[in-house]
Amino acid sequence: MDQDLRRVIFETFSEVFETMFFTFLEPLEEAPGKEDLGQGRFVEAAISYSGGCNGRFLFYFPWELGKNITVNFLGVDEDGVQEGQVKDTAAETANMAIGGLLGKLDPGGNASLAIPQARVLAGFSPETLLGESGLCMFNTEFGILWVVGAHA
Amino acid sequence: MAFNILVADDSETMRAVIKKTVSMSGVPVGEFHEACNGKEALAILAETWIDVILSDINMPEMGGMELLKKVSEDEDLRKIPLIFITTEASDARKEEAQRFGVAGYVKKPFQPETIKAILYEVLEKAYAHRLEEKPGEEAAEESDF
């Protein structure tokens, strides 16, 4: 993934996270050490698009991050957040982030977004993502957001 | 004076956020109705009095653009303003929506102020007389005091 695309991704995703969740993203150039990878419960959100251009992005939210953006998004109490709401928020985040990205990469609007899907992954290790060519990492207050994307 | 609002979005979370945003905007809301897609929205429109539709575009089964087309083809429904709240903000998509008479377009992610501004603008255009009514005016007219 080239640097221009990474920059656009960062700008677009930051707009979504800051506007909707009051959460700031900081791009990470290098993967953290093994002990800081944050293995455990994650929410995976997947979205693809096809038409004028094709692509697929996978988002991996550490549970704490997923829960906190849901709290900020819905304005609900942390203890009252349900798993379905976290999954739904993750899917909607992927939709907004990639919808925004597509608006910049495909201004003619030829490509169509698919419906995003989300699922909970128990005992997931982001170590499995290291080495992916389309890997982007963003540090947040509640752990690292991992994104693996492909755009053509 | 209050407006019945239909929110169509496949994300339950987004529907909740939109409802909350509208409730906090000061727009007088009678009832909220919710649909997961265009098909459900049409079923609600067939049976319920709706004043304004807030719809996503990217939904399963029937998307927002098809919903807009169906609404624009129906003699009764076409009077109901439809506002898109969507990630799909390309010029091509906006032009297509305008051709079918969309009343407003809000890009996700959105600021609550944007929804409020567009909603008021659309409601003023479609229902100026109802917005001019002051709260309690109907009750006062009917009251003996």
Side-chain angles (χ1 to χ4, degrees):
Chain A
M1 188 183 284
D2 69 40
Q3 287 306 311
D4 281 347
L5 181 55
R6 285 181 185 276
R7 184 183 46 77
V8 178
I9 286 173
F10 170 61
E11 288 169 2
T12 312
F13 290 13
S14 286
E15 188 193 355
V16 172
F17 276 77
E18 289 175 24
T19 308
M20 302 308 283
F21 314 129
F22 316 108
T23 298
F24 292 90
L25 301 182
E26 177 200 349
L28 287 177
E29 298 297 330
E30 288 180 16
K34 217 170 181 179
E35 65 281 3
D36 296 322
L37 286 175
Q39 182 176 341
R41 196 176 189 202
F42 276 69
V43 183
E44 179 196 66
I47 189 163
S48 60
Y49 49 87
S50 56
C53 50
N54 300 308
R56 177 174 159 83
F57 282 77
L58 293 164
F59 292 69
Y60 295 90
F61 301 80
W63 184 255
E64 276 303 299
L65 174 61
K67 195 172 80 177
N68 275 282
I69 63 172
T70 306
V71 165
N72 288 339
F73 196 36
L74 285 171
V76 293
D77 198 53
E78 199 175 320
D79 298 331
V81 176
Q82 293 161 7
E83 184 177 297
Q85 291 173 320
V86 178
K87 279 166 56 182
D88 201 24
T89 302
E92 190 54 38
T93 305
N95 187 42
M96 286 189 282
I98 301 307
L101 183 66
L102 205 50
K104 292 172 184 170
L105 301 178
D106 175 42
N110 297 310
S112 296
L113 271 179
I115 304 295
Q117 306 292 334
R119 61 179 179 152
V120 174
L121 303 173
F124 176 74
S125 173
E127 196 176 355
T128 58
L129 306 175
L130 300 177
E132 293 272 1
S133 61
L135 176 65
C136 300
M137 297 165 289
F138 304 100
N139 204 16
T140 78
E141 200 181 337
F142 305 104
I144 298 170
L145 168 68
W146 304 77
V147 181
V148 178
H151 167 80
Chain B
M1 169 177 163
F3 298 95
N4 287 347
I5 297 177
L6 171 59
V7 181
D9 197 307
D10 54 326
S11 163
E12 189 182 348
T13 308
M14 185 52 83
R15 293 199 304 270
V17 170
I18 291 170
K19 280 165 54 183
K20 193 174 170 190
T21 305
V22 173
S23 297
M24 290 170 71
S25 72
V27 169
V29 179
E31 286 177 349
F32 277 115
H33 295 267
E34 295 182 47
C36 293
N37 55 48
K39 224 172 180 178
E40 278 189 23
L42 284 174
I44 291 170
L45 287 165
E47 295 186 350
T48 317
W49 181 271
I50 295 293
D51 295 300
V52 62
I53 306 163
L54 305 177
S55 177
D56 189 13
I57 289 182
N58 190 25
M59 296 184 286
E61 284 196 64
M62 185 192 287
M65 202 60 80
E66 200 180 336
L67 169 66
L68 175 65
K69 287 174 189 170
K70 299 261 185 209
V71 166
S72 70
E73 285 163 7
D74 187 290
E75 208 170 312
D76 295 323
L77 298 182
R78 74 166 64 125
K79 295 166 195 155
I80 304 171
L82 187 151
I83 299 169
F84 277 139
I85 302 177
T86 178
T87 60
E88 300 203 24
S90 68
D91 289 343
R93 205 69 86 230
K94 282 184 189 169
E95 282 164 21
E96 187 183 6
Q98 277 166 358
R99 275 204 307 278
F100 291 100
V102 76
Y105 212 105
V106 177
K107 183 184 163 292
K108 293 179 193 170
F110 55 77
Q111 298 279 359
E113 295 77 21
T114 310
I115 298 235
K116 180 182 177 177
I118 293 182
L119 189 53
Y120 265 104
E121 188 186 312
V122 167
L123 290 174
E124 267 171 21
K125 218 169 180 179
Y127 309 107
H129 58 290
R130 286 169 66 185
L131 275 174
E132 281 161 14
E133 288 172 12
K134 292 182 182 71
E137 198 168 285
E138 286 168 310
E141 281 170 6
E142 287 167 16
S143 167
D144 291 332
F145 296 100

